[in-house]
Amino acid sequence: MNMQKQITEYIATQPESKRSEMQELHDIILALMPTCKLWFLDGKDEKGKTVSNPNIGYGSKIIKYANGKTKEFYQIGVSANTTGISVYIMGIDDKKHLTQTFGHELGKASVTGYCIKFKTLADIKVDVLKAAIQYGIGRTSIQH
């Protein structure tokens, strides 16, 4: 199954309110990164055990590990969770930056080093979320 079909099916399996918001976020990110690589991670490890929520990824960056190994991964991720939606902004070295720069303006959201979690888009300022996503894109790549 191709990536776009997996993403479409994942979004379609969400309850209606979350489904339309996941689709809106998908469209927003694609507008910001129109030619990006798409990812779909089903949340299972190599043994088939569920280890995380499924998530959609956008873009591509190289993660460098302390042992010198590297791995390709996405720049921006979106995932449904039990209470709402999480947006992952990968590759930000300063773990306080998202909270300090966007957290106070964002609205009703939990902001950590690389994750913005909210119940519904109505609870946040979408333009501030877009700015945070654009910041993340800018920090991790010059190719969009």
Side-chain angles (χ1 to χ4, degrees), residues 4-130:
Q4 186 58 52
K5 186 169 175 137
Q6 286 178 298
I7 291 167
T8 300
E9 287 185 6
Y10 172 61
I11 293 171
T13 64
Q14 302 304 312
E16 173 40 44
S17 59
K18 203 176 286 187
R19 181 181 331 135
S20 58
E21 293 199 353
M22 292 280 292
Q23 185 62 56
E24 185 174 345
L25 274 172
H26 181 65
D27 294 342
I28 287 169
I29 297 168
L30 287 177
L32 295 172
M33 305 172 77
T35 61
C36 72
K37 177 177 180 174
L38 291 175
W39 302 66
F40 180 74
L41 304 177
D42 64 6
K44 296 181 185 339
D45 67 11
E46 57 281 346
K47 295 177 184 171
K49 181 181 175 193
T50 299
V51 293
S52 70
N53 290 325
N55 54 84
I56 304 166
Y58 305 85
S60 179
K61 67 182 282 327
I62 300 297
I63 297 173
K64 294 177 183 150
Y65 293 101
N67 66 4
K69 290 187 179 185
T70 60
K71 173 183 168 183
E72 183 183 16
F73 203 62
Y74 56 72
Q75 294 166 274
I76 306 297
V78 174
S79 178
N81 59 55
T82 54
T83 58
I85 298 171
S86 296
V87 175
Y88 306 101
I89 301 175
M90 308 307 287
I92 298 175
D93 296 329
D94 180 351
K95 299 303 172 201
K96 295 179 182 174
H97 185 81
L98 277 183
T99 303
Q100 292 172 342
T101 307
F102 303 102
H104 303 295
E105 295 180 54
L106 197 53
K108 251 176 103 174
S110 164
V111 184
T112 64
Y114 66 94
C115 180
I116 298 172
K117 188 186 302 187
F118 50 91
K119 188 172 183 176
T120 175
L121 286 172
D123 289 345
I124 64 165
K125 294 181 181 171
V126 175
D127 59 328
V128 176
L129 178 62
K130 280 187 199 177

